[in-house]
Amino acid sequence: MSDPLDRAIFGDDRGAEAISRRQRRRAPRPPAKRTGRKVIVVFVALALVTGAGVAAFTVLKPLISKITGVGGVNEDMDFTGPGEGEVKIAVAQGQTGDDIATTLRDNGVTKTRTAYLEAAKGDPAAASRIQPGTYTLKKGMRGVDAFKVISNPANVVRNAVTLPEGLWASETFARLSSFSGIPVADYEAAAKDAAAIGLPAAAGGNVEGWLSPTSYEFPENSTATQQLAIMVKRTVDELARANVAPDEQQRILTLASIVEGEVNAGTDRGKVARVIENRLDNPTGPTVGFLQMDSTRNFAIQKRGNLSAADVAKSKESPFDTYAHKGLPPGPINSPSEASIVAAANPTPGNWYYFVTVNFDTGETLFAETLAEQEQNIAKWKQWCKDNPGKCEAG
């Protein structure tokens, strides 16, 4: 079978051959003396066809090369490589291929954005493996060579900080400072500049709950403001994926943070969210509108673990104490995971008003609709504590 490009330029000669065979069957055999002239005619025809083909290829070659890259690098769009010097390129969390292409072009690594984007388009599997981090490249590289560097995880300059879910903003600042060397005071100051870090109006100027927990590889020499902006944007994106309307963002984050502070097993997030909603929806129900969540007391006095009687008394002075104050607290009490945000936005259907973890090793949690059921579950928790001395903070 002929090559598609050959057929496009020269045409498919199979139909001509079939016509020729039919003509030979119908036409009388020519006299022998004409053979020489026919051969000459054939050679002339071949020469004309070949000449036309060469001319067509000469005309089309630059166009084909420009479209496909066949025949060498298109110098209008790409460097010839291999490049020189050293350039540090940072790929931030959530950046797209277009973002990376722009950074490469603006830093002189590639000649155009197209040079990189075409290489990425040609290998989507490799493009999907690109990780946040810093990469070492050269000025004047071919797009395909730059793509090979960035799409290889082994080339990432490892410099990551991990922020677990459920941290308070104060704890987040401390971890960031330990990682970056930037003073905690700088993070605290950056957090107060809502516009600079992209904090939505719904937050009311309070960054608590908006610093998404995950592992970050921030751009080299990034400031406290830039780092917090990356984290806030990630939370905004998570809320959008959960289809949370802008005017509901703060409420859902607040609910999600309580879920994060209370949950012991991932599968229970939706159920815990439902318990909270049921208590809020029924102010005359079993808890008469009080959420009664221990995690809110811990946040109120910024103290982890079991609380003493003095701690509880101090906690009651705070509007975040949901034993002392009805309804949701004024705002989030920690940085919730995306899983908790999804659970808060879509609570599991049910009529539960109570829950208690009855096995701290496995995280097994039992849910109840009535106080009588809850008391039975509490008895199971107490028995587990008795059978496992030292593992319960109270009981």
Side-chain angles (χ1 to χ4, degrees):
M1 182 179 291
S2 58
D3 183 83
L5 184 57
D6 291 338
R7 291 201 302 274
I9 298 176
F10 303 113
D12 193 335
D13 60 355
R14 289 176 294 178
E17 289 176 353
I19 293 172
S20 178
R21 287 196 295 273
R22 290 196 297 271
Q23 289 174 338
R24 285 200 297 271
R25 286 197 295 271
R26 292 196 299 267
R29 186 181 299 277
K33 62 181 180 181
R34 288 186 171 182
T35 303
R37 186 163 57 184
K38 181 178 180 182
V39 170
I40 293 173
V41 171
V42 170
F43 275 121
V44 171
L46 286 173
L48 289 173
V49 172
T50 303
V54 171
F57 186 74
T58 301
V59 172
L60 292 175
K61 181 180 178 182
L63 179 60
I64 296 168
S65 176
K66 189 167 186 176
I67 295 174
T68 66
V70 175
V73 174
N74 180 356
E75 295 184 4
D76 290 338
M77 294 190 299
D78 209 355
F79 290 125
T80 57
E84 61 184 9
E86 183 177 289
V87 183
K88 296 287 187 182
I89 295 296
V91 176
Q93 186 85 27
Q95 279 195 315
T96 64
D98 283 338
D99 296 330
I100 297 171
T102 300
T103 300
L104 292 173
R105 180 201 62 192
D106 291 351
N107 284 273
V109 176
T110 57
K111 193 169 188 177
T112 64
R113 296 171 75 255
T114 303
Y116 172 85
L117 290 173
E118 285 298 312
K121 182 179 178 182
D123 194 348
S128 69
R129 294 193 294 269
I130 294 176
Q131 299 180 4
T134 301
Y135 297 81
T136 303
L137 297 102
K138 300 177 181 180
K139 285 185 177 290
M141 296 180 72
R142 293 193 308 157
V144 66
D145 293 334
F147 173 72
K148 287 179 180 178
V149 172
I150 290 180
S151 61
N152 185 349
N155 293 325
V156 178
V157 179
R158 296 293 172 185
N159 192 24
V161 57
T162 298
L163 301 170
E165 60 272 8
L167 291 183
W168 302 325
S170 58
E171 295 170 324
T172 298
F173 297 155
R175 288 192 180 227
L176 289 173
S177 177
S178 178
F179 158 76
S180 66
I182 298 173
V184 168
D186 286 11
Y187 288 105
E188 293 172 340
K192 295 176 181 178
D193 192 341
I197 64 175
L199 193 64
N206 188 352
V207 78
E208 190 71 64
W210 289 87
L211 302 177
S212 181
T214 190
S215 291
Y216 291 95
E217 292 182 14
F218 295 115
E220 191 172 14
N221 298 320
S222 57
T223 65
T225 297
Q226 291 169 334
Q227 292 174 17
L228 295 190
I230 291 171
M231 299 171 73
V232 169
K233 182 181 184 303
R234 192 170 190 273
T235 297
V236 171
D237 291 343
E238 290 171 350
L239 288 165
R241 285 194 291 270
N243 297 317
V244 178
D247 61 349
E248 281 287 301
Q249 289 179 337
Q250 186 76 343
R251 180 185 186 279
I252 292 299
L253 269 186
T254 301
L255 201 159
S257 68
I258 298 175
V259 171
E260 196 67 62
E262 297 288 335
V263 73
N264 285 283
T267 55
D268 294 333
R269 294 180 196 272
K271 290 184 176 182
V272 172
R274 176 54 64 192
V275 169
I276 296 171
E277 290 286 26
N278 286 344
R279 292 184 180 184
L280 291 172
D281 291 343
N282 191 356
T284 61
T287 63
V288 292
F290 289 95
L291 293 187
Q292 298 179 343
M293 300 290 169
D294 292 341
S295 57
T296 64
R297 278 182 164 172
N298 290 109
F299 176 78
I301 63 172
Q302 294 284 284
K303 181 178 179 180
R304 296 286 187 182
N306 190 37
L307 301 182
S308 66
D311 292 329
V312 170
K314 181 180 179 182
S315 172
K316 290 180 180 179
E317 300 172 4
S318 168
F320 283 91
D321 186 334
T322 56
Y323 282 88
H325 304 275
K326 292 185 177 183
L328 280 174
I333 62 169
N334 60 49
S335 296
S337 63
E338 184 168 11
S340 289
I341 291 175
V342 171
N346 303 278
T348 303
N351 298 316
W352 310 289
Y353 279 90
Y354 306 94
F355 63 91
V356 61
T357 300
V358 297
N359 186 321
F360 290 172
D361 287 343
T362 65
E364 179 186 2
T365 301
L366 299 180
F367 291 80
E369 296 182 13
T370 66
L371 181 57
E373 291 179 272
Q374 175 71 347
E375 289 175 343
Q376 293 176 3
N377 293 337
I378 289 176
K380 294 178 182 179
W381 161 63
K382 290 182 176 180
Q383 184 61 50
W384 189 89
C385 290
K386 181 178 180 181
D387 295 339
N388 297 270
K391 290 189 176 182
C392 294
E393 294 178 333

PDB file of all heavy atoms in Angstrom, residues 264 357-364 381 384-385 391-394:
ATOM      1  N   ASN A 264     -12.698   9.595  64.045  1.00  0.00           N
ATOM      2  CA  ASN A 264     -11.639   8.627  64.333  1.00  0.00           C
ATOM      3  C   ASN A 264     -11.437   7.631  63.197  1.00  0.00           C
ATOM      4  O   ASN A 264     -10.418   6.964  63.134  1.00  0.00           O
ATOM      5  CB  ASN A 264     -11.964   7.847  65.612  1.00  0.00           C
ATOM      6  CG  ASN A 264     -11.739   8.673  66.861  1.00  0.00           C
ATOM      7  OD1 ASN A 264     -10.619   8.871  67.291  1.00  0.00           O
ATOM      8  ND2 ASN A 264     -12.824   9.194  67.426  1.00  0.00           N
ATOM      9  N   THR A 357     -16.610   6.910  70.359  1.00  0.00           N
ATOM     10  CA  THR A 357     -15.602   5.946  69.910  1.00  0.00           C
ATOM     11  C   THR A 357     -15.415   4.903  71.004  1.00  0.00           C
ATOM     12  O   THR A 357     -15.091   5.245  72.153  1.00  0.00           O
ATOM     13  CB  THR A 357     -14.263   6.654  69.621  1.00  0.00           C
ATOM     14  OG1 THR A 357     -14.483   7.629  68.601  1.00  0.00           O
ATOM     15  CG2 THR A 357     -13.209   5.661  69.155  1.00  0.00           C
ATOM     16  N   VAL A 358     -15.615   3.639  70.661  1.00  0.00           N
ATOM     17  CA  VAL A 358     -15.575   2.563  71.660  1.00  0.00           C
ATOM     18  C   VAL A 358     -14.301   1.731  71.575  1.00  0.00           C
ATOM     19  O   VAL A 358     -14.109   0.817  72.381  1.00  0.00           O
ATOM     20  CB  VAL A 358     -16.807   1.644  71.518  1.00  0.00           C
ATOM     21  CG1 VAL A 358     -18.089   2.428  71.785  1.00  0.00           C
ATOM     22  CG2 VAL A 358     -16.854   0.985  70.136  1.00  0.00           C
ATOM     23  N   ASN A 359     -13.433   2.040  70.625  1.00  0.00           N
ATOM     24  CA  ASN A 359     -12.163   1.325  70.501  1.00  0.00           C
ATOM     25  C   ASN A 359     -11.145   2.289  69.917  1.00  0.00           C
ATOM     26  O   ASN A 359     -11.178   2.613  68.737  1.00  0.00           O
ATOM     27  CB  ASN A 359     -12.331   0.096  69.599  1.00  0.00           C
ATOM     28  CG  ASN A 359     -11.085  -0.777  69.552  1.00  0.00           C
ATOM     29  OD1 ASN A 359      -9.966  -0.280  69.531  1.00  0.00           O
ATOM     30  ND2 ASN A 359     -11.290  -2.086  69.520  1.00  0.00           N
ATOM     31  N   PHE A 360     -10.212   2.747  70.759  1.00  0.00           N
ATOM     32  CA  PHE A 360      -9.244   3.737  70.311  1.00  0.00           C
ATOM     33  C   PHE A 360      -8.163   3.132  69.416  1.00  0.00           C
ATOM     34  O   PHE A 360      -7.459   3.865  68.720  1.00  0.00           O
ATOM     35  CB  PHE A 360      -8.588   4.431  71.509  1.00  0.00           C
ATOM     36  CG  PHE A 360      -9.527   5.346  72.252  1.00  0.00           C
ATOM     37  CD1 PHE A 360      -9.140   5.933  73.452  1.00  0.00           C
ATOM     38  CD2 PHE A 360     -10.790   5.628  71.759  1.00  0.00           C
ATOM     39  CE1 PHE A 360      -9.998   6.785  74.139  1.00  0.00           C
ATOM     40  CE2 PHE A 360     -11.660   6.468  72.436  1.00  0.00           C
ATOM     41  CZ  PHE A 360     -11.264   7.058  73.629  1.00  0.00           C
ATOM     42  N   ASP A 361      -8.031   1.824  69.419  1.00  0.00           N
ATOM     43  CA  ASP A 361      -7.052   1.174  68.551  1.00  0.00           C
ATOM     44  C   ASP A 361      -7.532   1.135  67.101  1.00  0.00           C
ATOM     45  O   ASP A 361      -6.763   1.377  66.164  1.00  0.00           O
ATOM     46  CB  ASP A 361      -6.749  -0.253  69.021  1.00  0.00           C
ATOM     47  CG  ASP A 361      -5.906  -0.271  70.282  1.00  0.00           C
ATOM     48  OD1 ASP A 361      -5.290   0.777  70.603  1.00  0.00           O
ATOM     49  OD2 ASP A 361      -5.869  -1.318  70.955  1.00  0.00           O
ATOM     50  N   THR A 362      -8.800   0.818  66.921  1.00  0.00           N
ATOM     51  CA  THR A 362      -9.362   0.690  65.575  1.00  0.00           C
ATOM     52  C   THR A 362     -10.128   1.920  65.121  1.00  0.00           C
ATOM     53  O   THR A 362     -10.398   2.088  63.936  1.00  0.00           O
ATOM     54  CB  THR A 362     -10.311  -0.518  65.504  1.00  0.00           C
ATOM     55  OG1 THR A 362     -11.437  -0.281  66.355  1.00  0.00           O
ATOM     56  CG2 THR A 362      -9.604  -1.788  65.941  1.00  0.00           C
ATOM     57  N   GLY A 363     -10.492   2.770  66.079  1.00  0.00           N
ATOM     58  CA  GLY A 363     -11.292   3.930  65.744  1.00  0.00           C
ATOM     59  C   GLY A 363     -12.769   3.627  65.604  1.00  0.00           C
ATOM     60  O   GLY A 363     -13.551   4.480  65.152  1.00  0.00           O
ATOM     61  N   GLU A 364     -13.190   2.436  65.999  1.00  0.00           N
ATOM     62  CA  GLU A 364     -14.593   2.066  65.874  1.00  0.00           C
ATOM     63  C   GLU A 364     -15.471   3.057  66.643  1.00  0.00           C
ATOM     64  O   GLU A 364     -15.264   3.310  67.827  1.00  0.00           O
ATOM     65  CB  GLU A 364     -14.832   0.651  66.415  1.00  0.00           C
ATOM     66  CG  GLU A 364     -16.286   0.218  66.321  1.00  0.00           C
ATOM     67  CD  GLU A 364     -16.560  -1.126  66.979  1.00  0.00           C
ATOM     68  OE1 GLU A 364     -15.615  -1.713  67.553  1.00  0.00           O
ATOM     69  OE2 GLU A 364     -17.725  -1.581  66.938  1.00  0.00           O
ATOM     70  N   TRP A 381     -17.705   1.691  75.656  1.00  0.00           N
ATOM     71  CA  TRP A 381     -16.456   2.457  75.677  1.00  0.00           C
ATOM     72  C   TRP A 381     -15.754   2.303  77.030  1.00  0.00           C
ATOM     73  O   TRP A 381     -14.541   2.068  77.081  1.00  0.00           O
ATOM     74  CB  TRP A 381     -16.776   3.934  75.399  1.00  0.00           C
ATOM     75  CG  TRP A 381     -15.694   4.885  75.815  1.00  0.00           C
ATOM     76  CD1 TRP A 381     -14.430   4.959  75.324  1.00  0.00           C
ATOM     77  CD2 TRP A 381     -15.782   5.889  76.830  1.00  0.00           C
ATOM     78  NE1 TRP A 381     -13.717   5.957  75.961  1.00  0.00           N
ATOM     79  CE2 TRP A 381     -14.530   6.537  76.879  1.00  0.00           C
ATOM     80  CE3 TRP A 381     -16.804   6.307  77.680  1.00  0.00           C
ATOM     81  CZ2 TRP A 381     -14.278   7.579  77.775  1.00  0.00           C
ATOM     82  CZ3 TRP A 381     -16.546   7.355  78.545  1.00  0.00           C
ATOM     83  CH2 TRP A 381     -15.290   7.974  78.590  1.00  0.00           C
ATOM     84  N   TRP A 384     -14.115  -1.031  77.317  1.00  0.00           N
ATOM     85  CA  TRP A 384     -12.874  -1.110  76.526  1.00  0.00           C
ATOM     86  C   TRP A 384     -11.737  -0.416  77.276  1.00  0.00           C
ATOM     87  O   TRP A 384     -10.605  -0.920  77.308  1.00  0.00           O
ATOM     88  CB  TRP A 384     -13.073  -0.446  75.160  1.00  0.00           C
ATOM     89  CG  TRP A 384     -11.905  -0.676  74.224  1.00  0.00           C
ATOM     90  CD1 TRP A 384     -11.723  -1.706  73.356  1.00  0.00           C
ATOM     91  CD2 TRP A 384     -10.735   0.155  74.105  1.00  0.00           C
ATOM     92  NE1 TRP A 384     -10.531  -1.584  72.702  1.00  0.00           N
ATOM     93  CE2 TRP A 384      -9.897  -0.440  73.139  1.00  0.00           C
ATOM     94  CE3 TRP A 384     -10.317   1.337  74.710  1.00  0.00           C
ATOM     95  CZ2 TRP A 384      -8.673   0.095  72.773  1.00  0.00           C
ATOM     96  CZ3 TRP A 384      -9.094   1.876  74.352  1.00  0.00           C
ATOM     97  CH2 TRP A 384      -8.285   1.260  73.387  1.00  0.00           C
ATOM     98  N   CYS A 385     -12.040   0.724  77.880  1.00  0.00           N
ATOM     99  CA  CYS A 385     -11.018   1.444  78.645  1.00  0.00           C
ATOM    100  C   CYS A 385     -10.534   0.602  79.831  1.00  0.00           C
ATOM    101  O   CYS A 385      -9.344   0.593  80.155  1.00  0.00           O
ATOM    102  CB  CYS A 385     -11.580   2.784  79.150  1.00  0.00           C
ATOM    103  SG  CYS A 385     -11.850   4.014  77.851  1.00  0.00           S
ATOM    104  N   LYS A 391      -4.922   3.548  77.939  1.00  0.00           N
ATOM    105  CA  LYS A 391      -5.224   3.982  76.574  1.00  0.00           C
ATOM    106  C   LYS A 391      -6.351   5.011  76.494  1.00  0.00           C
ATOM    107  O   LYS A 391      -6.603   5.550  75.433  1.00  0.00           O
ATOM    108  CB  LYS A 391      -5.557   2.777  75.689  1.00  0.00           C
ATOM    109  CG  LYS A 391      -4.354   1.887  75.401  1.00  0.00           C
ATOM    110  CD  LYS A 391      -4.682   0.845  74.355  1.00  0.00           C
ATOM    111  CE  LYS A 391      -3.437   0.034  74.000  1.00  0.00           C
ATOM    112  NZ  LYS A 391      -3.710  -0.964  72.945  1.00  0.00           N
ATOM    113  N   CYS A 392      -7.006   5.227  77.586  1.00  0.00           N
ATOM    114  CA  CYS A 392      -8.106   6.193  77.603  1.00  0.00           C
ATOM    115  C   CYS A 392      -7.690   7.413  78.416  1.00  0.00           C
ATOM    116  O   CYS A 392      -7.121   7.283  79.508  1.00  0.00           O
ATOM    117  CB  CYS A 392      -9.365   5.580  78.213  1.00  0.00           C
ATOM    118  SG  CYS A 392     -10.059   4.241  77.230  1.00  0.00           S
ATOM    119  N   GLU A 393      -8.001   8.554  77.915  1.00  0.00           N
ATOM    120  CA  GLU A 393      -7.652   9.788  78.624  1.00  0.00           C
ATOM    121  C   GLU A 393      -8.604  10.013  79.794  1.00  0.00           C
ATOM    122  O   GLU A 393      -8.280  10.727  80.725  1.00  0.00           O
ATOM    123  CB  GLU A 393      -7.721  10.989  77.662  1.00  0.00           C
ATOM    124  CG  GLU A 393      -6.662  10.905  76.569  1.00  0.00           C
ATOM    125  CD  GLU A 393      -6.773  12.072  75.598  1.00  0.00           C
ATOM    126  OE1 GLU A 393      -7.890  12.599  75.460  1.00  0.00           O
ATOM    127  OE2 GLU A 393      -5.770  12.446  75.012  1.00  0.00           O
ATOM    128  N   ALA A 394      -9.775   9.437  79.700  1.00  0.00           N
ATOM    129  CA  ALA A 394     -10.746   9.563  80.778  1.00  0.00           C
ATOM    130  C   ALA A 394     -11.617   8.322  80.787  1.00  0.00           C
ATOM    131  O   ALA A 394     -11.739   7.645  79.778  1.00  0.00           O
ATOM    132  CB  ALA A 394     -11.601  10.809  80.603  1.00  0.00           C
TER     133      ALA A 394
END
